[in-house]
């Protein structure tokens, strides 16, 4: 079919809804808790095929077909406040700031506490870009922001690799590609919104109505020292340096703080790959250096910077446009040339495996209280680990 009516369990990037001339595509959460397109007035579809043309999920090739030599860097903001607030070295914010000052509109992701979701937004002032600071480990809703793109403007857009892949198809179709800078990041995958919604409900029993969430707060430093096993028992081994995650959630007067090393529920199930989108398991083509962006960023984990507690951003520049931006960063920030292997150390090199219990995991997240789901899941993992040990 020449529209997205047959597309299910896709990336949920929302670009198909953005390009549809009839405005008949909705992006909504499906029963598993992931964004998915649907036609709400199919009779108005003209079969123009634009929604399929910009769909990275439906295209086997990346929209950035030819990559030049990939350059790798270790980078961080020289503004201590920026570096302290950001998840790693703060260089994503500094790139946005740099481009806003050059006349670009910046499209990043903020957390909307009222809607209990992450969503893209557009701003043309540096202060307006501050809400984009920090990682958001949930799928973002894009349509409201992406529908504001207009010819004649210059845009800097950051997003997941699949969102950026579709956007390059879109900007190329609209003949806007020369006026955009696209940035993605090393992506683990996105968890079901059932997980986040359940998690927030449990937190709000402690704090009251949540008004702010920070997934990678660095109040305890960029690293953590110990890791908690999925069965809840401290393993007593130093954690891999990239296994440090600190959640800070605020109500007006109180706050909730929880770390992966303390057994944080959200991070346990997200990082254990128990409830990611099906496309994250089956159709992710964006690991390591595979990208349609001009620049890719992420935490520079590994041995080289393991003693740095302020945060270091790994950066890959794929295009000449991206490399020019990096050169400009050198005037005000720290940029160290590094081998691509060092930049990608600690990052996922291939897609995670979908667990055999995936359908059950999603059902339990949707229908059980978080506490009950956690108990059942922990029991399952203990049994599974014992069976695997016996088999070995």
């Amino acid at each position: 079919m020449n529209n997205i009516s047959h597309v299910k369990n896709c990336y949920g990037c929302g670009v198909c809804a953005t390009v549809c001339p009839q405005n008949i595509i909705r992006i909504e959460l499906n029963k598993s808790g992931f964004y998915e397109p649907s036609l709400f007035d199919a009779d108005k579809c003209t079969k123009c095929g634009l929604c399929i043309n910009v769909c990275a999920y439906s295209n086997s090739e990346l929209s950035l077909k030819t990559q030049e030599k990939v350059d790798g860097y270790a980078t961080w903001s020289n503004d201590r406040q920026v570096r302290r607030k950001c998840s790693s070295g703060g260089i994503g914010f500094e790139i946005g700031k740099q481009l806003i000052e050059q006349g670009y509109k910046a499209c990043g992701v903020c957390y909307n506490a009222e809607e209990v979701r992450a969503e893209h937004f557009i701003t043309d002032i540096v202060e307006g870009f501050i809400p984009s600071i920090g990682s958001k480990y949930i799928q973002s809703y894009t349509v409201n922001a992406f529908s504001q793109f207009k010819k004649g403007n210059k845009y800097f857009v950051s997003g997941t690799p699949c969102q950026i892949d579709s956007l390059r198809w879109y900007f190329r179709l609209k003949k806007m590609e020369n006026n955009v800078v696209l940035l993605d990041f090393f992506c683990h995958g996105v968890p079901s919104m059932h997980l986040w919604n359940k998690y927030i409900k449990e937190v709000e029993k402690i704090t009251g109505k949540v008004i702010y969430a920070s997934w990678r707060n660095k109040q305890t430093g960029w690293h953590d020292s110990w890791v908690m096993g999925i069965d809840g028992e401290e393993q007593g081994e130093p954690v891999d340096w990239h296994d440090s995650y600190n959640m800070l959630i605020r109500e007006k007067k109180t706050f909730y703080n929880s770390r992966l090393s303390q057994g944080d529920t959200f991070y346990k199930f997200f990082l254990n790959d128990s409830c990611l989108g099906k496309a994250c398991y089956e159709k992710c083509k964006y690991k390591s250096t595979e990208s349609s962006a001009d620049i890719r960023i992420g935490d520079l984990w590994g041995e080289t910077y393991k003693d740095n507690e302020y945060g270091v951003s790994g950066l890959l520049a794929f295009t000449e446009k991206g490399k020019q931006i990096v050169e400009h960063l050198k005037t005000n920030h720290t940029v160290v040339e590094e081998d691509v292997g060092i930049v990608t150390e600690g990052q996922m090199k291939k897609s995670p495996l979908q667990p055999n219990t995936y359908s059950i995991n999603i059902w339990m997240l949707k229908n059980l209280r978080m506490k009950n789901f956690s108990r059942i899941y922990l029991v399952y993992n203990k049994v599974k680990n014992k069976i695997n040990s016996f088999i070995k």
Side-chain angles (χ1 to χ4, degrees):
M1 298 184 67
N2 208 29
N3 60 40
I4 50 79
S5 59
H6 64 288
V7 175
K8 305 296 179 185
N9 297 308
C10 64
Y11 303 135
C13 68
V15 180
C16 56
T18 303
V19 78
C20 178
Q22 301 301 111
N23 294 316
I24 57 172
I25 300 177
R26 284 199 186 112
I27 304 296
E28 298 175 314
L29 292 176
N30 61 21
K31 62 181 181 180
S32 296
F34 299 95
Y35 288 118
E36 184 177 271
S38 63
L39 297 180
F40 65 89
D41 199 348
D43 291 340
K44 291 184 179 179
C45 179
T46 61
K47 305 296 191 295
C48 66
L50 293 179
C51 57
I52 293 296
N53 291 344
V54 301
C55 177
Y57 184 81
S58 299
N59 281 284
S60 59
E61 295 182 344
L62 298 178
S63 54
L64 187 63
K65 291 184 173 63
T66 57
Q67 290 187 355
E68 306 162 18
K69 177 182 175 292
V70 179
D71 289 343
Y73 306 89
T75 62
W76 58 85
S77 171
N78 286 346
D79 185 327
R80 289 190 176 184
Q81 286 291 91
V82 169
R83 196 176 180 193
R84 181 178 66 83
K85 291 180 180 179
C86 292
S87 299
S88 52
I91 213 64
F93 176 79
E94 295 295 358
I95 292 172
K97 177 183 177 183
Q98 169 184 309
L99 292 172
I100 288 172
E101 291 171 345
Q102 294 175 12
Y104 284 75
K105 294 179 183 292
C107 182
V109 179
C110 65
Y111 180 67
N112 186 329
E114 287 299 317
E115 296 291 337
V116 196
R117 70 183 184 188
E119 51 189 37
H120 272 76
F121 70 101
I122 296 177
T123 183
D124 58 3
I125 59 174
V126 173
E127 292 77 10
F129 195 54
I130 291 174
S132 71
I133 284 176
S135 302
K136 287 90 181 171
Y137 289 119
I138 53 177
Q139 199 173 19
S140 66
Y141 182 78
T142 65
V143 180
N144 294 343
F146 290 0
S147 62
Q148 298 177 48
F149 293 139
K150 294 180 181 179
K151 279 188 176 181
N153 292 328
K154 297 189 296 183
Y155 294 99
F156 163 64
V157 189
S158 61
T160 62
C162 48
Q163 290 171 341
I164 294 302
D165 194 14
S166 289
L167 277 176
R168 189 173 289 278
W169 287 115
Y170 171 84
F171 285 126
R172 186 175 296 158
L173 177 71
K174 294 291 184 178
K175 295 181 170 49
M176 297 170 62
E177 191 174 5
N178 291 336
N179 285 336
V180 296
V181 174
L182 301 177
L183 178 148
D184 70 9
F185 49 83
F186 294 104
C187 184
H188 184 95
V190 292
S192 169
M193 284 299 291
H194 294 325
L195 173 63
W196 180 248
N197 290 335
K198 282 289 194 318
Y199 182 80
I200 283 294
K201 285 180 181 179
E202 292 297 314
V203 171
E204 287 186 337
K205 291 177 182 178
I206 302 170
T207 64
K209 178 63 178 176
V210 169
I211 62 171
Y212 171 83
S214 173
W215 280 259
R216 290 286 305 285
N217 188 271
K218 291 195 294 193
Q219 65 179 21
T220 58
W222 190 41
H223 294 121
D224 205 351
S225 298
W226 299 87
V227 66
M228 191 74 73
I230 194 66
D231 59 358
E233 297 175 359
E234 190 175 276
Q235 295 180 353
E237 294 287 338
V239 66
D240 287 341
W241 290 107
H242 58 283
D243 278 346
S244 171
Y245 294 87
N246 183 40
M247 185 81 73
L248 177 66
I249 296 175
R250 288 199 185 108
E251 189 258 355
K252 288 183 179 179
K253 297 181 180 179
T254 61
F255 69 91
Y256 174 85
N257 184 227
S258 178
R259 300 200 298 268
L260 172 63
S261 60
Q262 298 170 332
D264 179 79
T265 306
F266 173 81
Y267 281 130
K268 279 198 299 185
F269 298 120
F270 167 40
L271 295 173
N272 199 44
D273 305 329
S274 63
C275 56
L276 304 180
K278 287 189 177 181
C280 300
Y281 302 112
E282 301 169 358
K283 294 199 67 171
C284 179
K285 48 192 172 183
Y286 308 106
K287 292 294 184 276
S288 192
T289 61
E290 298 299 312
S291 172
S292 289
D294 297 295
I295 292 173
R296 170 168 288 178
I297 61 173
D299 293 84
L300 208 166
W301 303 123
E303 290 294 319
T304 306
Y305 295 93
K306 69 178 183 180
D307 295 325
N308 187 307
E309 284 301 324
Y310 296 100
V312 179
S313 299
L315 186 152
L316 298 177
F318 297 110
T319 66
E320 186 58 36
K321 189 185 296 182
K323 294 171 185 178
Q324 290 174 3
I325 290 170
V326 174
E327 286 301 312
H328 194 273
L329 285 173
K330 292 179 179 179
T331 60
N332 295 305
H333 305 289
T334 302
V335 179
V336 182
E337 293 186 17
E338 293 284 8
D339 184 81
V340 171
I342 290 177
V343 177
T344 59
E345 184 181 358
Q347 300 293 346
M348 296 176 71
K349 301 300 189 296
K350 59 183 181 180
S351 299
L353 295 176
Q354 182 174 321
N356 295 331
T357 57
Y358 180 77
S359 296
I360 298 173
N361 295 346
I362 295 295
W363 183 90
M364 288 194 296
L365 276 175
K366 184 178 180 180
N367 296 286
L368 300 182
R369 291 180 59 191
M370 177 62 81
K371 186 179 294 186
N372 293 336
F373 170 68
S374 300
R375 289 171 178 169
I376 294 171
Y377 194 77
L378 293 178
V379 169
Y380 158 73
N381 273 278
K382 285 185 177 181
V383 172
K384 182 186 72 172
N385 291 337
K386 288 182 178 179
I387 293 174
N388 288 341
S389 298
F390 178 77
I391 292 174
K392 289 179 180 179

